[in-house]
Structure formats: structure tokens, C-alpha cells
Amino acid sequence: MTTTHQPPQPPSEPPHGNGHGGGGNGGSSGHSHGHSHSHGPAEPVSKHLRKVIAAVLIPFATAVLVGLAVLWPGGAPPHERSGVGFDRQTESGRVVQVDGVDCKDVNASQVPPTGDPSTPEGQEAQRSQTGTCAKATIEVTSGKDKGRTFVEVVQPDAPRQLREGQDVVVAYAPGAPKELQYSVTDVDRGVPMWILAAIFAFAVVVVGRMRGFMALIALAVSFVLLTLFILPAILQGSNPLVVAVVGASAIMLIALYMCHGLSARTSVAALGTLVSLLLIGLLGSLFIGWANLTGNTDDNTGLIHGLYPDIDMSGLLLAGVIIGSLGVLDDVTVTQTSAVWELHHADPTMTARQLYRAGIRIGRDHIASVVNTLVLAYAGAALPLLLLFSIAQSSVGTVANSELVAEEIVRTLIGSIGLVASVPVTTALAALLVSADKPGATPSAGASGGPGSGSAGGAPSGRAASRGGGRGRRRKR
């Protein structure tokens, strides 16, 4: 009972020496109780570990800034519009009137010479001759010809039908005859898209609160980097792989620190993400070249290659793999780092090996769900293509060997390997750092564990006492 009459340790006096060896079980339990109420989940706060993390991340962040400065394009290079696909001048328009007319009167199509109704072509031509077409009057609502009208004929079997009052996107071909300069190229989906985006932002902020708001800001910054740096830099002729690595690294650092704060925990997640991105880049370079994937597989990539022949299309494919994997990588590395921190907070006596084993058990569940999600996402995006192969009754080997499908398979597998590797890498980094954190020893007065020292010592002495008790328990193990 003599410890209750000792004067409390002044909060401003730093701990000295190793005078925490007398912390018995009773003192340890009392200190761990104080620890649980003094601050949140344990984080490595020692100056040594902060220096180690900074020694890795500061040069990396500096290299990313230098890369942004050197590769910054200053805008996409100009080119003469080809008038093909997306490379057309467009304006806004509105459907002001729709009339039904006989398809024969407007000569929407002609019956093929065979006139065989048993073929799909013959059936389509027959419907076009006997059906009712829509004669839509379109008013141009933007540009130098604002107020001008033109007529668009829509066949009865067209996938996109027009209705009165509908907003549309019209293509403008200045070199065509005046009556053919304007044509409807798509419907205007701006209003539903903006409403859906507003609902998404509202849901994120309501559920995530400030963390959700910061996530939206990080998403906006990522979009700015994508549109102002990554895409124009590739069009300028810079190496797509280098541009993707620099851009993805910048997005990673901004998103992680904005959403999760400037802490050692976030820094470990950034390190795990960086290692996984490097692995994805190496595997992508190897297997995209080995499989002879050109990256030029559809009309859009063909148009890009035609307009900018100097762009490395296989490098563009690899850049897409890296950027596409980044979002899921952030989720995996942050989750694994948080899991290890919480495990250490629940039991500070756990060694690095114990933390890794417990964290990897959590990570195995994460791996199963994430890989399945990634594969299904790619399969869903390529579903029309897979249906075409199914209709053609092609074998699995034939389908997988075609470049269109092989590109998606390689993209999926490389991204999945990077995700799987990120779990043990990030878990190991977090376990090593959090278990090696030894901010300092406990003063001898704190080792007594008496109620007087716990109440009068203040937050600093309570924190030192809890750490001292934890280290005493580690030595006993």
C-alpha cells in the first residue's frame, strides 16, 4: 500500500532507462485498461519507424512529382477530324416533331436482289418495305447553325427510336452537302446521368460523412489527373507504361492520404500498393509481349492508331491494366493494414509472426471475394462478345485464343495476381512495422500500476505506462 503515498510522476518528465521490468500482471492489466481509453488503435509512433517510412515514401513521392512535371503534356495535340466514330464534330439538338410515314414513300431501304425472306437480310428488308417509318424533324440547339432544322428517317427495326421533345446529339459534317450536314448520332443522356451522380454523391456523404466527402474529392482529383495528364500525355507520344505508372502513383497517394489521413497506417498501405503495382507492370510487360497482344482489336483502338500512329497500342493496353487494377488494390491494402493494426490494438503482445498469421486469415476471405468480383466484372463487360462466340458454337480453346478474348483473359489474370500478391505483401509490412514499434520505456513510477499514478499521471504518463506494461508482457513470453 506504500505506492499510494508516492508523489505522482510529472507529465512533462520524459521516461528514462529501462525501469519497467517490475511491471507484474496486476500492473499490466491496469495499464492496458488505461491504454484502451487514452487513444484509438495503436499506430507506430516512434521516430525511428517514422523515419524508415519517410525514407521510402518521400523519395517515391518526389519521383512522382518529377515525373508529373517532366511528362505533363499541356493539352492533347490537335488533329484534323476524320468524321469517323467519336472523331466527329457534334452539337446539341432536339426532336420537335415525329410523323409516321410509309417506309416505301421515303425509300428507307430496298429489297436485296435475292428477295429471300428466309434470310435475316431479306426479312429486315421486307420489314423496311412494309412497315411504318418515323420521320423526325430535328432542331439544332447549339453551334453556329442554332435554330436550323433537318429531317431524320428512323426505320421500324432501328434499336434507337426518337420521340417528340427528346434531346439528341447531332453530328456535323461541314464538307457534306447542306441537306446532309447534320445527322442524329445519339440521344442526350445528360439529365439522368447527372441525377444518378447526385444520388451517388448523396449516398456516399450520408453514410461516409466526412470520410465519404473526402473520397468524393479524391475521386474528382483522380478524374482530373486522368483527363489532364494521363490521356493527353499518351496522345503526345509519351511511353504509355511510364505515364500510367506515374499517373497511377499520383492518384494512389492523393486518394489514400485524402481518404485515410496522413498516418503510418496509410503509409504502409501505400507501400503495399506500390509493390503490387510494380508486380502488375512487370507481369504485364512480360505476358502482353509473349502473347503477341497488339491492343488494336476494335474500331475505337483502330481509330486511335489511325489518328496517332506513333502510339504504342500494346503499351496502351498495359497502361489500362495498371490503372484498372489500382482501385481494387487500394481497397485490399487499406483493409489488410487496418486489420493488422486492430489485431495489435486488441493484443499488443502479439509478435510479428502471430500478427501476420491472423491477418492473412482475414486476407484469404478478401482474396476469394475480390478475385471473383474482378473476373465477373470483366465477363460482364465482354458479355456481348461471349454471346457471339456462343452463337458461332466455337470451342473454348478457339474463343480463348482469339485476341479479343485473350486480351481480357490476360488483363484479368494479371490484375488478379497483383491483388492476390498485395495481401501477403501488405500484411507482412504492417505486421513487421507495428510489432517493431517501441516508442520508449516506462519510468519506474509508472511500473507500480497503482491507481494514484494512473489517475494523476495524465495522458502522457498513462500512454508510457501502457507501453511499458506491454513490453513487460512481451519479455515474459
Side-chain angles (χ1 to χ4, degrees):
M1 299 296 293
T2 56
T3 55
T4 57
H5 300 288
Q6 293 178 356
Q9 185 75 16
S12 60
E13 182 178 337
H16 296 284
N18 294 322
H20 56 281
N25 293 336
S28 298
S29 61
H31 293 153
S32 60
H33 176 78
H35 174 76
S36 63
H37 292 280
S38 59
H39 52 83
E43 297 187 6
V45 293
S46 65
K47 291 183 179 180
H48 174 69
L49 285 183
R50 288 182 175 180
K51 289 179 180 178
V52 171
I53 296 174
V56 177
L57 284 179
I58 290 179
F60 170 63
T62 303
V64 170
L65 290 176
V66 171
L68 288 173
V70 172
L71 297 174
W72 194 268
H79 71 278
E80 186 176 350
R81 291 186 179 273
S82 64
V84 179
F86 290 103
D87 193 40
R88 290 181 287 181
Q89 182 177 342
T90 58
E91 301 291 349
S92 300
R94 175 169 295 175
V95 181
V96 295
Q97 186 176 351
V98 178
D99 299 316
V101 295
D102 194 335
C103 290
K104 290 183 179 179
D105 296 338
V106 294
N107 296 321
S109 65
Q110 296 180 356
V111 178
T114 61
D116 186 3
S118 63
T119 63
E121 294 83 1
Q123 294 174 4
E124 181 180 350
Q126 197 172 53
R127 287 194 300 268
S128 300
Q129 287 291 320
T130 58
T132 300
C133 294
K135 184 179 180 181
T137 303
I138 316 296
E139 179 184 0
V140 181
T141 58
S142 66
K144 63 184 183 65
D145 292 329
K146 183 178 181 180
R148 179 177 168 180
T149 60
F150 65 95
V151 174
E152 182 90 4
V153 176
V154 183
Q155 296 188 24
D157 57 349
R160 183 181 63 243
Q161 298 293 322
L162 300 179
R163 65 179 185 274
E164 190 171 330
Q166 187 177 30
D167 292 328
V168 294
V169 179
V170 298
Y172 173 60
K178 186 174 182 180
E179 64 275 9
L180 300 176
Q181 286 182 335
Y182 286 96
S183 61
V184 176
T185 182
D186 209 344
V187 298
D188 189 352
R189 303 178 180 89
V191 173
M193 297 286 281
W194 280 111
I195 291 177
L196 182 60
I199 294 173
F200 164 73
F202 177 77
V204 170
V205 172
V206 167
V207 177
R209 298 189 179 181
M210 181 55 66
R211 190 70 64 88
F213 177 75
M214 295 305 296
L216 292 177
I217 299 298
L219 178 63
V221 173
S222 301
F223 183 76
V224 168
L225 281 175
L226 182 65
T227 55
L228 297 185
F229 171 69
I230 296 177
L231 300 180
I234 293 175
L235 291 178
Q236 289 280 14
S238 300
N239 188 300
L241 175 58
V242 176
V243 172
V245 170
V246 173
S249 299
I251 291 173
M252 174 195 71
L253 292 174
I254 293 173
L256 284 177
Y257 285 109
M258 286 190 69
C259 296
H260 305 286
L262 187 63
S263 65
R265 179 189 300 191
T266 308
S267 300
V268 173
L271 289 175
T273 306
L274 172 61
V275 173
S276 303
L277 281 179
L278 293 177
L279 177 62
I280 290 174
L282 291 175
L283 290 175
S285 299
L286 173 61
F287 284 95
I288 286 176
W290 194 1
N292 293 317
L293 297 178
T294 63
N296 191 0
T297 54
D298 56 21
D299 294 338
N300 294 328
T301 54
L303 178 60
I304 293 172
H305 185 65
L307 295 174
Y308 299 94
D310 294 334
I311 293 180
D312 180 9
M313 299 303 295
S314 60
L316 187 62
L317 171 61
L318 178 56
V321 173
I322 293 174
I323 295 173
S325 303
L326 177 62
V328 189
L329 271 178
D330 288 351
D331 172 57
V332 172
T333 55
V334 169
T335 301
Q336 286 305 115
T337 306
S338 297
V340 173
W341 247 260
E342 293 300 329
L343 288 169
H344 177 72
H345 178 59
D347 185 3
T349 65
M350 293 179 70
T351 64
R353 178 175 295 184
Q354 291 171 330
L355 286 171
Y356 175 79
R357 288 178 176 176
I360 206 68
R361 285 195 294 270
I362 299 172
R364 290 191 185 104
D365 292 335
H366 207 178
I367 287 174
S369 60
V370 167
V371 170
N372 193 45
T373 300
L374 194 62
V375 172
L376 290 179
Y378 282 126
L383 197 58
L385 178 63
L386 297 178
L387 283 175
L388 288 177
F389 282 108
S390 179
I391 292 171
Q393 296 182 349
S394 301
S395 65
V396 175
T398 302
V399 172
N401 191 64
S402 65
E403 185 170 1
L404 275 172
V405 178
E407 184 177 293
E408 297 302 324
I409 292 175
V410 171
R411 188 198 311 268
T412 303
L413 294 180
I414 291 174
S416 298
I417 292 172
L419 291 175
V420 171
S422 69
V423 172
V425 168
T426 308
T427 305
L429 286 173
L432 288 172
L433 287 173
V434 77
S435 62
D437 181 48
K438 298 178 181 179
T442 312
S444 58
S448 62
S453 61
S455 59
S461 61
R463 185 155 54 243
S466 66
R467 287 166 183 158
R471 293 182 63 190
R473 289 194 297 273
R474 281 197 290 267
R475 280 202 311 279
K476 292 183 68 177
R477 294 177 68 89

